[in-house]
């Protein structure tokens, strides 16, 4: 395969350069390309440029900032096919799905272009001779650290909301999709003044250099809980605000009154879509014993139909497989999948485990792969209680025909999002707070604009006559 960095006129490292990122196609193991990692000087320079550009960008009118974001969205739409192709090559995501992710990002940029000028403060009822205001102001320089599983859509949310509210941005995409991240940055950059938005390539070391810069005002991160906690610790020393959407270990509750075949289709979608590499993927399944047999038969059949799926790289596949083998060693039953295939790439089969217990890593940790661990429970109450017993708090799904059970579940589950009878359902514009190990702060929706602004109270009254 031709080196994409060369083909698309992106920065590329020489093959022998040890300070570069080598990307191989997860499907066939072929070389996608190599990208040079940013140096400490380049990181510091990007932040300095963003700090210098901030006063001018913050003073730019809201409608002008929105117009720039709208132009960037149009440019992104024009390059959707290129971005999808690069994303597919780097992560193994099918081109059609990758293009959907890019177009979702385009919609997000356009949404924030409309919402930005409408973001407003409040006037307060003070004395008749005074004016009292609460005014939202941009915070300053924002570091945006984004993942590889849906790189364009996720980045558009954070970058778009930060820019339209008057902040400047230095972004580091995941080292697993650097070509995608750099191309995204190249598409956006011409539509903003110099220094307003920059993209840097690099691994966790580069991310640490960026996050530790004392001139940052916000660190926005979507990714693993471990990295999120490290960023929070760094920000405690620098004073930067931290916005985190981190790991999830989402439960799926299957009640005894639902169609088990339909429920299995929901479970398969939640566990296997995008190879299970979705932050709100189904990670734990609690099925009522009354429908367990039929549900498992249908879920196993769905996994067999799904077959092999590409994981982003061999390192990640090994981590997923380690959780599966650990579970089997601890007493779980492997119903289908769970075997690394011969040949190139980083493929892994859709996998179903039964007899899973709380002490297993596959049950306590985020797997982020096409693995469906199942536990049969005596009744809905037991399933709900066991679903609550977890360190994460991102999302949950409940499949039930009982309004009583639905009401009880959404009130009692300690997560940011609860979906009833649709594993990936939800209206546009919703925004939730993740809980506990899953992070904190709004990561999307109109409320994300509030995360990138700080409120100033202003009191104005006339001076007395001399």
């Amino acid at each position: 395969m031709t080196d994409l960095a060369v083909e698309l006129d992106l920065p590329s490292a020489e093959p022998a350069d040890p300070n570069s990122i080598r990307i191989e196609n997860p499907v066939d193991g072929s070389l996608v390309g190599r990208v040079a990692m940013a140096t400490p000087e380049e990181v510091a320079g990007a932040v300095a440029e963003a700090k210098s550009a901030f006063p001018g960008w913050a003073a730019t009118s809201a409608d002008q900032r929105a117009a720039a974001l709208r132009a960037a969205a149009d440019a992104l739409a024009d390059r959707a096919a290129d971005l999808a192709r690069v994303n597919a090559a780097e992560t193994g995501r099918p081109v059609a799905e990758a293009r959907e992710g890019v177009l979702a990002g385009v919609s997000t940029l356009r949404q924030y272009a409309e919402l930005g000028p409408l973001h407003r403060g409040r006037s307060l009822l003070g004395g008749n001779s005074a004016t009292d205001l609460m005014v939202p102001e941009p915070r300053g320089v924002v570091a945006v650290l984004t993942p590889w599983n849906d790189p364009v859509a996720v980045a558009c949310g954070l970058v778009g909301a930060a820019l339209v509210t008057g902040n400047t941005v230095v972004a580091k995409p995941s080292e697993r999709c650097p070509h995608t991240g750099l191309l995204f940055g190249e598409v956006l950059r011409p539509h903003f003044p110099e220094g307003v938005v920059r993209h840097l390539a690099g691994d966790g070391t580069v991310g640490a250099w960026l996050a530790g810069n004392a001139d940052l005002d916000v660190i926005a991160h979507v990714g693993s809980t471990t990295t999120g906690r490290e960023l929070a610790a760094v920000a405690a020393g620098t004073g930067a605000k931290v916005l985190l959407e981190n790991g999830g270990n989402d439960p799926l509750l299957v009640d005894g009154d639902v169609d088990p075949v339909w429920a299995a289709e929901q479970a398969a979608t939640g566990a296997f879509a995008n190879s299970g590499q979705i932050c709100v993927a189904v990670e734990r399944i609690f099925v009522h014993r009354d429908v367990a047999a039929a549900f498992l038969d249908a879920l196993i059949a769905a996994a067999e139909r799904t077959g092999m799926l590409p994981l982003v790289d061999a390192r990640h596949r090994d981590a997923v497989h380690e959780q599966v083998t650990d579970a089997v060693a601890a007493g779980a039953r492997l119903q289908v999948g769970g075997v690394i295939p011969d040949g190139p790439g980083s493929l892994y089969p859709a996998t179903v485990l039964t007899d899973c217990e709380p002490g297993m890593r596959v049950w306590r940790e985020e797997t982020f792969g096409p693995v469906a661990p199942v536990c049969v429970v005596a009744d809905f109450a037991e399933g709900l209680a066991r679903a609550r017993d977890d360190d994460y708090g991102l999302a949950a799904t409940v499949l039930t025909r009982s309004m009583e059970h639905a009401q009880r579940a959404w009130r009692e589950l300690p997560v940011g999002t609860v979906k009833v009878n649709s594993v990936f359902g939800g209206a546009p514009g919703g925004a939730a707070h993740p809980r506990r190990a899953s992070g904190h702060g709004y990561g999307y929706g109109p409320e994300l604009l509030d995360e990138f602004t700080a409120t100033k109270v202003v009191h104005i009254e006339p001076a007395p006559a001399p």
Side-chain angles (χ1 to χ4, degrees), residues 284-309:
R284 298 174 294 147
I285 299 171
F286 302 91
V287 57
H288 195 294
R289 63 185 177 190
D290 289 353
V291 295
F295 171 85
L296 283 169
D297 286 345
L299 180 59
I300 292 167
E304 291 172 339
R305 289 193 303 271
T306 301
M308 292 294 171
L309 296 166

Side-chain angles (χ1 to χ4, degrees), residues 219-282:
I219 301 172
H221 172 254
V222 177
S224 75
T225 293
T226 299
T227 300
R229 286 173 170 167
E230 292 171 353
L231 293 172
V234 169
T238 64
K241 172 187 169 69
V242 181
L243 177 63
L244 302 174
E245 183 182 302
N246 293 155
N249 196 23
D250 294 5
L252 170 70
L253 280 72
V254 180
D255 207 350
D257 59 357
V258 299
D259 177 353
V261 175
W262 166 78
E265 292 170 355
Q266 290 281 311
T269 298
F272 305 145
N274 199 29
S275 305
Q277 300 168 134
I278 301 175
C279 59
V280 291
V282 168

